[in-house]
PDB file of all heavy atoms in Angstrom:
ATOM      1  N   ARG A   1       0.831  -1.212   0.000  1.00 98.00           N
ATOM      2  CA  ARG A   1       0.000   0.000   0.000  1.00 98.00           C
ATOM      3  C   ARG A   1       0.862   1.258   0.000  1.00 98.00           C
ATOM      4  O   ARG A   1       0.617   2.189  -0.767  1.00 98.00           O
ATOM      5  CB  ARG A   1      -0.944   0.012   1.201  1.00 98.00           C
ATOM      6  CG  ARG A   1      -1.863   1.231   1.238  1.00 98.00           C
ATOM      7  CD  ARG A   1      -2.716   1.288   2.482  1.00 98.00           C
ATOM      8  NE  ARG A   1      -1.991   1.187   3.722  1.00 98.00           N
ATOM      9  CZ  ARG A   1      -1.319   2.200   4.301  1.00 98.00           C
ATOM     10  NH1 ARG A   1      -1.309   3.388   3.736  1.00 98.00           N
ATOM     11  NH2 ARG A   1      -0.692   2.015   5.442  1.00 98.00           N
ATOM     12  N   LEU A   2       1.889   1.279   0.838  1.00 98.00           N
ATOM     13  CA  LEU A   2       2.751   2.469   0.924  1.00 98.00           C
ATOM     14  C   LEU A   2       3.507   2.723  -0.379  1.00 98.00           C
ATOM     15  O   LEU A   2       3.576   3.863  -0.860  1.00 98.00           O
ATOM     16  CB  LEU A   2       3.739   2.313   2.081  1.00 98.00           C
ATOM     17  CG  LEU A   2       3.131   2.330   3.478  1.00 98.00           C
ATOM     18  CD1 LEU A   2       4.174   1.946   4.527  1.00 98.00           C
ATOM     19  CD2 LEU A   2       2.527   3.683   3.788  1.00 98.00           C
ATOM     20  N   LEU A   3       4.069   1.675  -0.974  1.00 97.00           N
ATOM     21  CA  LEU A   3       4.810   1.846  -2.227  1.00 97.00           C
ATOM     22  C   LEU A   3       3.885   2.224  -3.382  1.00 97.00           C
ATOM     23  O   LEU A   3       4.240   3.045  -4.227  1.00 97.00           O
ATOM     24  CB  LEU A   3       5.603   0.582  -2.546  1.00 97.00           C
ATOM     25  CG  LEU A   3       6.755   0.286  -1.577  1.00 97.00           C
ATOM     26  CD1 LEU A   3       7.331  -1.098  -1.839  1.00 97.00           C
ATOM     27  CD2 LEU A   3       7.827   1.357  -1.659  1.00 97.00           C
ATOM     28  N   ALA A   4       2.699   1.637  -3.403  1.00 98.00           N
ATOM     29  CA  ALA A   4       1.725   2.000  -4.441  1.00 98.00           C
ATOM     30  C   ALA A   4       1.321   3.461  -4.303  1.00 98.00           C
ATOM     31  O   ALA A   4       1.220   4.183  -5.300  1.00 98.00           O
ATOM     32  CB  ALA A   4       0.501   1.090  -4.356  1.00 98.00           C
ATOM     33  N   THR A   5       1.094   3.900  -3.074  1.00 98.00           N
ATOM     34  CA  THR A   5       0.725   5.290  -2.831  1.00 98.00           C
ATOM     35  C   THR A   5       1.808   6.238  -3.337  1.00 98.00           C
ATOM     36  O   THR A   5       1.520   7.231  -4.014  1.00 98.00           O
ATOM     37  CB  THR A   5       0.475   5.515  -1.325  1.00 98.00           C
ATOM     38  OG1 THR A   5      -0.613   4.685  -0.919  1.00 98.00           O
ATOM     39  CG2 THR A   5       0.135   6.957  -1.027  1.00 98.00           C
ATOM     40  N   GLU A   6       3.054   5.935  -3.024  1.00 97.00           N
ATOM     41  CA  GLU A   6       4.156   6.789  -3.486  1.00 97.00           C
ATOM     42  C   GLU A   6       4.267   6.778  -5.011  1.00 97.00           C
ATOM     43  O   GLU A   6       4.537   7.813  -5.624  1.00 97.00           O
ATOM     44  CB  GLU A   6       5.471   6.369  -2.836  1.00 97.00           C
ATOM     45  CG  GLU A   6       5.540   6.716  -1.368  1.00 97.00           C
ATOM     46  CD  GLU A   6       5.207   8.180  -1.089  1.00 97.00           C
ATOM     47  OE1 GLU A   6       5.788   9.083  -1.740  1.00 97.00           O
ATOM     48  OE2 GLU A   6       4.351   8.442  -0.228  1.00 97.00           O
ATOM     49  N   GLN A   7       4.045   5.629  -5.633  1.00 97.00           N
ATOM     50  CA  GLN A   7       4.126   5.566  -7.094  1.00 97.00           C
ATOM     51  C   GLN A   7       2.990   6.351  -7.729  1.00 97.00           C
ATOM     52  O   GLN A   7       3.196   7.067  -8.716  1.00 97.00           O
ATOM     53  CB  GLN A   7       4.093   4.116  -7.568  1.00 97.00           C
ATOM     54  CG  GLN A   7       4.359   3.977  -9.051  1.00 97.00           C
ATOM     55  CD  GLN A   7       5.749   4.472  -9.417  1.00 97.00           C
ATOM     56  OE1 GLN A   7       6.741   3.923  -8.978  1.00 97.00           O
ATOM     57  NE2 GLN A   7       5.823   5.526 -10.212  1.00 97.00           N
ATOM     58  N   LEU A   8       1.793   6.243  -7.189  1.00 97.00           N
ATOM     59  CA  LEU A   8       0.665   7.015  -7.716  1.00 97.00           C
ATOM     60  C   LEU A   8       0.937   8.511  -7.605  1.00 97.00           C
ATOM     61  O   LEU A   8       0.650   9.269  -8.537  1.00 97.00           O
ATOM     62  CB  LEU A   8      -0.629   6.636  -6.988  1.00 97.00           C
ATOM     63  CG  LEU A   8      -1.134   5.219  -7.255  1.00 97.00           C
ATOM     64  CD1 LEU A   8      -2.243   4.866  -6.277  1.00 97.00           C
ATOM     65  CD2 LEU A   8      -1.578   5.046  -8.689  1.00 97.00           C
ATOM     66  N   ARG A   9       1.502   8.932  -6.474  1.00 97.00           N
ATOM     67  CA  ARG A   9       1.878  10.350  -6.324  1.00 97.00           C
ATOM     68  C   ARG A   9       2.891  10.757  -7.379  1.00 97.00           C
ATOM     69  O   ARG A   9       2.782  11.823  -7.988  1.00 97.00           O
ATOM     70  CB  ARG A   9       2.465  10.603  -4.937  1.00 97.00           C
ATOM     71  CG  ARG A   9       1.456  10.756  -3.857  1.00 97.00           C
ATOM     72  CD  ARG A   9       2.107  11.253  -2.559  1.00 97.00           C
ATOM     73  NE  ARG A   9       1.108  11.324  -1.526  1.00 97.00           N
ATOM     74  CZ  ARG A   9       1.091  10.565  -0.443  1.00 97.00           C
ATOM     75  NH1 ARG A   9       2.056   9.705  -0.215  1.00 97.00           N
ATOM     76  NH2 ARG A   9       0.124  10.691   0.436  1.00 97.00           N
ATOM     77  N   ALA A  10       3.900   9.923  -7.604  1.00 96.00           N
ATOM     78  CA  ALA A  10       4.933  10.232  -8.594  1.00 96.00           C
ATOM     79  C   ALA A  10       4.341  10.336  -9.993  1.00 96.00           C
ATOM     80  O   ALA A  10       4.802  11.132 -10.815  1.00 96.00           O
ATOM     81  CB  ALA A  10       6.031   9.172  -8.558  1.00 96.00           C
ATOM     82  N   TRP A  11       3.329   9.538 -10.276  1.00 95.00           N
ATOM     83  CA  TRP A  11       2.664   9.592 -11.574  1.00 95.00           C
ATOM     84  C   TRP A  11       1.645  10.723 -11.653  1.00 95.00           C
ATOM     85  O   TRP A  11       1.050  10.957 -12.704  1.00 95.00           O
ATOM     86  CB  TRP A  11       1.965   8.275 -11.867  1.00 95.00           C
ATOM     87  CG  TRP A  11       2.885   7.134 -12.196  1.00 95.00           C
ATOM     88  CD1 TRP A  11       4.170   7.206 -12.646  1.00 95.00           C
ATOM     89  CD2 TRP A  11       2.567   5.750 -12.117  1.00 95.00           C
ATOM     90  NE1 TRP A  11       4.672   5.943 -12.844  1.00 95.00           N
ATOM     91  CE2 TRP A  11       3.709   5.029 -12.531  1.00 95.00           C
ATOM     92  CE3 TRP A  11       1.435   5.043 -11.732  1.00 95.00           C
ATOM     93  CZ2 TRP A  11       3.745   3.641 -12.578  1.00 95.00           C
ATOM     94  CZ3 TRP A  11       1.469   3.654 -11.777  1.00 95.00           C
ATOM     95  CH2 TRP A  11       2.612   2.964 -12.201  1.00 95.00           C
ATOM     96  N   GLY A  12       1.376  11.396 -10.533  1.00 95.00           N
ATOM     97  CA  GLY A  12       0.395  12.473 -10.517  1.00 95.00           C
ATOM     98  C   GLY A  12      -1.039  11.984 -10.580  1.00 95.00           C
ATOM     99  O   GLY A  12      -1.920  12.691 -11.070  1.00 95.00           O
ATOM    100  N   LEU A  13      -1.279  10.790 -10.059  1.00 96.00           N
ATOM    101  CA  LEU A  13      -2.621  10.206 -10.092  1.00 96.00           C
ATOM    102  C   LEU A  13      -3.276  10.288  -8.716  1.00 96.00           C
ATOM    103  O   LEU A  13      -2.586  10.297  -7.692  1.00 96.00           O
ATOM    104  CB  LEU A  13      -2.551   8.744 -10.528  1.00 96.00           C
ATOM    105  CG  LEU A  13      -2.039   8.511 -11.944  1.00 96.00           C
ATOM    106  CD1 LEU A  13      -1.932   7.021 -12.230  1.00 96.00           C
ATOM    107  CD2 LEU A  13      -2.933   9.190 -12.969  1.00 96.00           C
ATOM    108  N   PRO A  14      -4.607  10.318  -8.681  1.00 96.00           N
ATOM    109  CA  PRO A  14      -5.296  10.356  -7.393  1.00 96.00           C
ATOM    110  C   PRO A  14      -5.057   9.065  -6.602  1.00 96.00           C
ATOM    111  O   PRO A  14      -4.960   7.986  -7.188  1.00 96.00           O
ATOM    112  CB  PRO A  14      -6.773  10.506  -7.772  1.00 96.00           C
ATOM    113  CG  PRO A  14      -6.871  10.178  -9.211  1.00 96.00           C
ATOM    114  CD  PRO A  14      -5.523  10.333  -9.819  1.00 96.00           C
ATOM    115  N   LEU A  15      -4.972   9.198  -5.293  1.00 97.00           N
ATOM    116  CA  LEU A  15      -4.738   8.039  -4.435  1.00 97.00           C
ATOM    117  C   LEU A  15      -6.008   7.214  -4.232  1.00 97.00           C
ATOM    118  O   LEU A  15      -5.942   6.006  -4.043  1.00 97.00           O
ATOM    119  CB  LEU A  15      -4.197   8.493  -3.076  1.00 97.00           C
ATOM    120  CG  LEU A  15      -2.903   9.296  -3.117  1.00 97.00           C
ATOM    121  CD1 LEU A  15      -2.451   9.635  -1.702  1.00 97.00           C
ATOM    122  CD2 LEU A  15      -1.827   8.586  -3.890  1.00 97.00           C
ATOM    123  N   SER A  16      -7.133   7.879  -4.258  1.00 96.00           N
ATOM    124  CA  SER A  16      -8.406   7.207  -4.030  1.00 96.00           C
ATOM    125  C   SER A  16      -9.045   6.877  -5.378  1.00 96.00           C
ATOM    126  O   SER A  16      -9.035   7.727  -6.277  1.00 96.00           O
ATOM    127  CB  SER A  16      -9.322   8.102  -3.217  1.00 96.00           C
ATOM    128  OG  SER A  16     -10.537   7.460  -2.949  1.00 96.00           O
ATOM    129  N   PRO A  17      -9.550   5.697  -5.565  1.00 98.00           N
ATOM    130  CA  PRO A  17      -9.707   4.583  -4.642  1.00 98.00           C
ATOM    131  C   PRO A  17      -8.574   3.552  -4.719  1.00 98.00           C
ATOM    132  O   PRO A  17      -8.618   2.532  -4.040  1.00 98.00           O
ATOM    133  CB  PRO A  17     -11.007   3.943  -5.091  1.00 98.00           C
ATOM    134  CG  PRO A  17     -10.973   4.086  -6.591  1.00 98.00           C
ATOM    135  CD  PRO A  17     -10.302   5.437  -6.821  1.00 98.00           C
ATOM    136  N   ALA A  18      -7.556   3.797  -5.528  1.00 98.00           N
ATOM    137  CA  ALA A  18      -6.514   2.797  -5.769  1.00 98.00           C
ATOM    138  C   ALA A  18      -5.810   2.355  -4.494  1.00 98.00           C
ATOM    139  O   ALA A  18      -5.526   1.163  -4.315  1.00 98.00           O
ATOM    140  CB  ALA A  18      -5.504   3.342  -6.779  1.00 98.00           C
ATOM    141  N   GLU A  19      -5.540   3.291  -3.592  1.00 97.00           N
ATOM    142  CA  GLU A  19      -4.839   2.959  -2.351  1.00 97.00           C
ATOM    143  C   GLU A  19      -5.609   1.901  -1.560  1.00 97.00           C
ATOM    144  O   GLU A  19      -5.030   0.934  -1.062  1.00 97.00           O
ATOM    145  CB  GLU A  19      -4.662   4.228  -1.523  1.00 97.00           C
ATOM    146  CG  GLU A  19      -3.956   4.009  -0.216  1.00 97.00           C
ATOM    147  CD  GLU A  19      -3.812   5.303   0.575  1.00 97.00           C
ATOM    148  OE1 GLU A  19      -4.652   6.210   0.430  1.00 97.00           O
ATOM    149  OE2 GLU A  19      -2.845   5.386   1.341  1.00 97.00           O
ATOM    150  N   GLN A  20      -6.915   2.055  -1.460  1.00 98.00           N
ATOM    151  CA  GLN A  20      -7.738   1.094  -0.712  1.00 98.00           C
ATOM    152  C   GLN A  20      -7.810  -0.251  -1.436  1.00 98.00           C
ATOM    153  O   GLN A  20      -7.766  -1.309  -0.805  1.00 98.00           O
ATOM    154  CB  GLN A  20      -9.151   1.646  -0.496  1.00 98.00           C
ATOM    155  CG  GLN A  20     -10.025   0.759   0.359  1.00 98.00           C
ATOM    156  CD  GLN A  20      -9.536   0.663   1.789  1.00 98.00           C
ATOM    157  OE1 GLN A  20      -9.071   1.638   2.354  1.00 98.00           O
ATOM    158  NE2 GLN A  20      -9.619  -0.512   2.381  1.00 98.00           N
ATOM    159  N   ILE A  21      -7.895  -0.226  -2.764  1.00 98.00           N
ATOM    160  CA  ILE A  21      -7.937  -1.471  -3.529  1.00 98.00           C
ATOM    161  C   ILE A  21      -6.634  -2.250  -3.351  1.00 98.00           C
ATOM    162  O   ILE A  21      -6.651  -3.462  -3.111  1.00 98.00           O
ATOM    163  CB  ILE A  21      -8.228  -1.183  -5.015  1.00 98.00           C
ATOM    164  CG1 ILE A  21      -9.654  -0.645  -5.174  1.00 98.00           C
ATOM    165  CG2 ILE A  21      -8.021  -2.443  -5.870  1.00 98.00           C
ATOM    166  CD1 ILE A  21      -9.973  -0.100  -6.554  1.00 98.00           C
ATOM    167  N   VAL A  22      -5.496  -1.558  -3.464  1.00 98.00           N
ATOM    168  CA  VAL A  22      -4.198  -2.228  -3.250  1.00 98.00           C
ATOM    169  C   VAL A  22      -4.165  -2.837  -1.852  1.00 98.00           C
ATOM    170  O   VAL A  22      -3.747  -3.984  -1.671  1.00 98.00           O
ATOM    171  CB  VAL A  22      -3.029  -1.243  -3.446  1.00 98.00           C
ATOM    172  CG1 VAL A  22      -1.723  -1.847  -2.933  1.00 98.00           C
ATOM    173  CG2 VAL A  22      -2.894  -0.846  -4.908  1.00 98.00           C
ATOM    174  N   SER A  23      -4.605  -2.090  -0.864  1.00 97.00           N
ATOM    175  CA  SER A  23      -4.600  -2.577   0.514  1.00 97.00           C
ATOM    176  C   SER A  23      -5.412  -3.859   0.653  1.00 97.00           C
ATOM    177  O   SER A  23      -4.952  -4.838   1.263  1.00 97.00           O
ATOM    178  CB  SER A  23      -5.143  -1.491   1.445  1.00 97.00           C
ATOM    179  OG  SER A  23      -5.149  -1.956   2.770  1.00 97.00           O
ATOM    180  N   GLU A  24      -6.608  -3.871   0.097  1.00 97.00           N
ATOM    181  CA  GLU A  24      -7.477  -5.052   0.208  1.00 97.00           C
ATOM    182  C   GLU A  24      -6.893  -6.254  -0.521  1.00 97.00           C
ATOM    183  O   GLU A  24      -6.865  -7.369   0.016  1.00 97.00           O
ATOM    184  CB  GLU A  24      -8.879  -4.746  -0.320  1.00 97.00           C
ATOM    185  CG  GLU A  24      -9.631  -3.677   0.434  1.00 97.00           C
ATOM    186  CD  GLU A  24      -9.960  -4.035   1.871  1.00 97.00           C
ATOM    187  OE1 GLU A  24      -9.910  -5.225   2.242  1.00 97.00           O
ATOM    188  OE2 GLU A  24     -10.270  -3.104   2.634  1.00 97.00           O
ATOM    189  N   LEU A  25      -6.406  -6.049  -1.754  1.00 97.00           N
ATOM    190  CA  LEU A  25      -5.873  -7.173  -2.529  1.00 97.00           C
ATOM    191  C   LEU A  25      -4.580  -7.708  -1.925  1.00 97.00           C
ATOM    192  O   LEU A  25      -4.360  -8.927  -1.881  1.00 97.00           O
ATOM    193  CB  LEU A  25      -5.661  -6.769  -3.991  1.00 97.00           C
ATOM    194  CG  LEU A  25      -6.927  -6.428  -4.785  1.00 97.00           C
ATOM    195  CD1 LEU A  25      -6.569  -6.096  -6.227  1.00 97.00           C
ATOM    196  CD2 LEU A  25      -7.952  -7.553  -4.721  1.00 97.00           C
ATOM    197  N   ALA A  26      -3.711  -6.820  -1.455  1.00 97.00           N
ATOM    198  CA  ALA A  26      -2.460  -7.264  -0.845  1.00 97.00           C
ATOM    199  C   ALA A  26      -2.725  -7.994   0.477  1.00 97.00           C
ATOM    200  O   ALA A  26      -2.075  -9.010   0.768  1.00 97.00           O
ATOM    201  CB  ALA A  26      -1.530  -6.078  -0.624  1.00 97.00           C
ATOM    202  N   THR A  27      -3.668  -7.502   1.252  1.00 96.00           N
ATOM    203  CA  THR A  27      -4.029  -8.176   2.501  1.00 96.00           C
ATOM    204  C   THR A  27      -4.576  -9.560   2.218  1.00 96.00           C
ATOM    205  O   THR A  27      -4.235 -10.532   2.913  1.00 96.00           O
ATOM    206  CB  THR A  27      -5.037  -7.337   3.304  1.00 96.00           C
ATOM    207  OG1 THR A  27      -4.411  -6.091   3.637  1.00 96.00           O
ATOM    208  CG2 THR A  27      -5.477  -8.043   4.574  1.00 96.00           C
ATOM    209  N   ASN A  28      -5.409  -9.682   1.188  1.00 95.00           N
ATOM    210  CA  ASN A  28      -5.926 -11.002   0.816  1.00 95.00           C
ATOM    211  C   ASN A  28      -4.795 -11.944   0.409  1.00 95.00           C
ATOM    212  O   ASN A  28      -4.794 -13.121   0.774  1.00 95.00           O
ATOM    213  CB  ASN A  28      -6.947 -10.894  -0.308  1.00 95.00           C
ATOM    214  CG  ASN A  28      -8.299 -10.429   0.174  1.00 95.00           C
ATOM    215  OD1 ASN A  28      -8.546 -10.319   1.372  1.00 95.00           O
ATOM    216  ND2 ASN A  28      -9.185 -10.144  -0.759  1.00 95.00           N
ATOM    217  N   ALA A  29      -3.825 -11.441  -0.357  1.00 95.00           N
ATOM    218  CA  ALA A  29      -2.696 -12.278  -0.781  1.00 95.00           C
ATOM    219  C   ALA A  29      -1.882 -12.734   0.421  1.00 95.00           C
ATOM    220  O   ALA A  29      -1.454 -13.890   0.491  1.00 95.00           O
ATOM    221  CB  ALA A  29      -1.810 -11.518  -1.769  1.00 95.00           C
ATOM    222  N   ALA A  30      -1.679 -11.832   1.381  1.00 94.00           N
ATOM    223  CA  ALA A  30      -0.893 -12.170   2.566  1.00 94.00           C
ATOM    224  C   ALA A  30      -1.659 -13.097   3.514  1.00 94.00           C
ATOM    225  O   ALA A  30      -1.048 -13.870   4.243  1.00 94.00           O
ATOM    226  CB  ALA A  30      -0.484 -10.899   3.305  1.00 94.00           C
ATOM    227  N   THR A  31      -2.978 -13.031   3.465  1.00 92.00           N
ATOM    228  CA  THR A  31      -3.796 -13.839   4.375  1.00 92.00           C
ATOM    229  C   THR A  31      -4.211 -15.167   3.754  1.00 92.00           C
ATOM    230  O   THR A  31      -4.001 -16.230   4.333  1.00 92.00           O
ATOM    231  CB  THR A  31      -5.065 -13.059   4.779  1.00 92.00           C
ATOM    232  OG1 THR A  31      -4.673 -11.813   5.350  1.00 92.00           O
ATOM    233  CG2 THR A  31      -5.906 -13.841   5.778  1.00 92.00           C
ATOM    234  N   HIS A  32      -4.805 -15.115   2.562  1.00 90.00           N
ATOM    235  CA  HIS A  32      -5.380 -16.311   1.945  1.00 90.00           C
ATOM    236  C   HIS A  32      -4.483 -16.929   0.879  1.00 90.00           C
ATOM    237  O   HIS A  32      -4.674 -18.086   0.529  1.00 90.00           O
ATOM    238  CB  HIS A  32      -6.740 -15.975   1.323  1.00 90.00           C
ATOM    239  CG  HIS A  32      -7.684 -15.337   2.285  1.00 90.00           C
ATOM    240  ND1 HIS A  32      -8.217 -15.999   3.370  1.00 90.00           N
ATOM    241  CD2 HIS A  32      -8.177 -14.079   2.351  1.00 90.00           C
ATOM    242  CE1 HIS A  32      -8.998 -15.182   4.048  1.00 90.00           C
ATOM    243  NE2 HIS A  32      -8.995 -14.002   3.449  1.00 90.00           N
ATOM    244  N   GLY A  33      -3.557 -16.161   0.340  1.00 90.00           N
ATOM    245  CA  GLY A  33      -2.694 -16.659  -0.725  1.00 90.00           C
ATOM    246  C   GLY A  33      -1.293 -16.985  -0.256  1.00 90.00           C
ATOM    247  O   GLY A  33      -0.402 -17.246  -1.046  1.00 90.00           O
ATOM    248  N   ARG A  34      -1.112 -17.002   1.021  1.00 88.00           N
ATOM    249  CA  ARG A  34       0.223 -17.179   1.609  1.00 88.00           C
ATOM    250  C   ARG A  34       0.717 -18.618   1.485  1.00 88.00           C
ATOM    251  O   ARG A  34       0.018 -19.562   1.857  1.00 88.00           O
ATOM    252  CB  ARG A  34       0.184 -16.780   3.074  1.00 88.00           C
ATOM    253  CG  ARG A  34       1.493 -16.977   3.797  1.00 88.00           C
ATOM    254  CD  ARG A  34       1.347 -16.602   5.269  1.00 88.00           C
ATOM    255  NE  ARG A  34       2.482 -17.060   6.025  1.00 88.00           N
ATOM    256  CZ  ARG A  34       3.570 -16.339   6.229  1.00 88.00           C
ATOM    257  NH1 ARG A  34       3.670 -15.129   5.742  1.00 88.00           N
ATOM    258  NH2 ARG A  34       4.570 -16.824   6.937  1.00 88.00           N
ATOM    259  N   VAL A  35       1.919 -18.744   0.976  1.00 88.00           N
ATOM    260  CA  VAL A  35       2.673 -19.995   1.004  1.00 88.00           C
ATOM    261  C   VAL A  35       4.044 -19.618   1.548  1.00 88.00           C
ATOM    262  O   VAL A  35       4.711 -18.748   0.974  1.00 88.00           O
ATOM    263  CB  VAL A  35       2.807 -20.623  -0.407  1.00 88.00           C
ATOM    264  CG1 VAL A  35       3.715 -21.834  -0.369  1.00 88.00           C
ATOM    265  CG2 VAL A  35       1.438 -20.978  -0.973  1.00 88.00           C
ATOM    266  N   PRO A  36       4.467 -20.193   2.667  1.00 85.00           N
ATOM    267  CA  PRO A  36       5.765 -19.825   3.235  1.00 85.00           C
ATOM    268  C   PRO A  36       6.884 -19.930   2.196  1.00 85.00           C
ATOM    269  O   PRO A  36       6.972 -20.907   1.445  1.00 85.00           O
ATOM    270  CB  PRO A  36       5.958 -20.836   4.372  1.00 85.00           C
ATOM    271  CG  PRO A  36       4.558 -21.209   4.763  1.00 85.00           C
ATOM    272  CD  PRO A  36       3.782 -21.215   3.470  1.00 85.00           C
ATOM    273  N   GLY A  37       7.697 -18.890   2.134  1.00 87.00           N
ATOM    274  CA  GLY A  37       8.819 -18.867   1.205  1.00 87.00           C
ATOM    275  C   GLY A  37       8.487 -18.390  -0.195  1.00 87.00           C
ATOM    276  O   GLY A  37       9.373 -18.276  -1.031  1.00 87.00           O
ATOM    277  N   ARG A  38       7.221 -18.086  -0.462  1.00 93.00           N
ATOM    278  CA  ARG A  38       6.816 -17.611  -1.789  1.00 93.00           C
ATOM    279  C   ARG A  38       6.203 -16.225  -1.668  1.00 93.00           C
ATOM    280  O   ARG A  38       5.209 -16.039  -0.972  1.00 93.00           O
ATOM    281  CB  ARG A  38       5.803 -18.559  -2.433  1.00 93.00           C
ATOM    282  CG  ARG A  38       6.359 -19.922  -2.732  1.00 93.00           C
ATOM    283  CD  ARG A  38       5.323 -20.738  -3.445  1.00 93.00           C
ATOM    284  NE  ARG A  38       5.784 -22.100  -3.677  1.00 93.00           N
ATOM    285  CZ  ARG A  38       5.004 -23.070  -4.113  1.00 93.00           C
ATOM    286  NH1 ARG A  38       3.726 -22.827  -4.354  1.00 93.00           N
ATOM    287  NH2 ARG A  38       5.486 -24.264  -4.303  1.00 93.00           N
TER     288      ARG A  38
END
């Protein structure tokens, strides 16, 4: 989420709603898509 936010700022794009979408998808990957070492 933090890196996406900084990249969106660098591109001059609005943070909303992309910041929240990245947060939700990344959280899902870390929670439900987690395989140790991958």
Side-chain angles (χ1 to χ4, degrees):
R1 182 184 53 79
L2 292 171
L3 293 171
T5 298
E6 289 308 310
Q7 188 62 63
L8 292 169
R9 280 190 183 114
W11 288 339
L13 296 176
L15 302 182
S16 182
E19 180 180 28
Q20 184 66 38
I21 293 170
V22 168
S23 180
E24 297 295 343
L25 295 182
T27 298
N28 282 352
T31 304
H32 306 293
R34 178 182 167 91
V35 174
R38 295 184 184 170

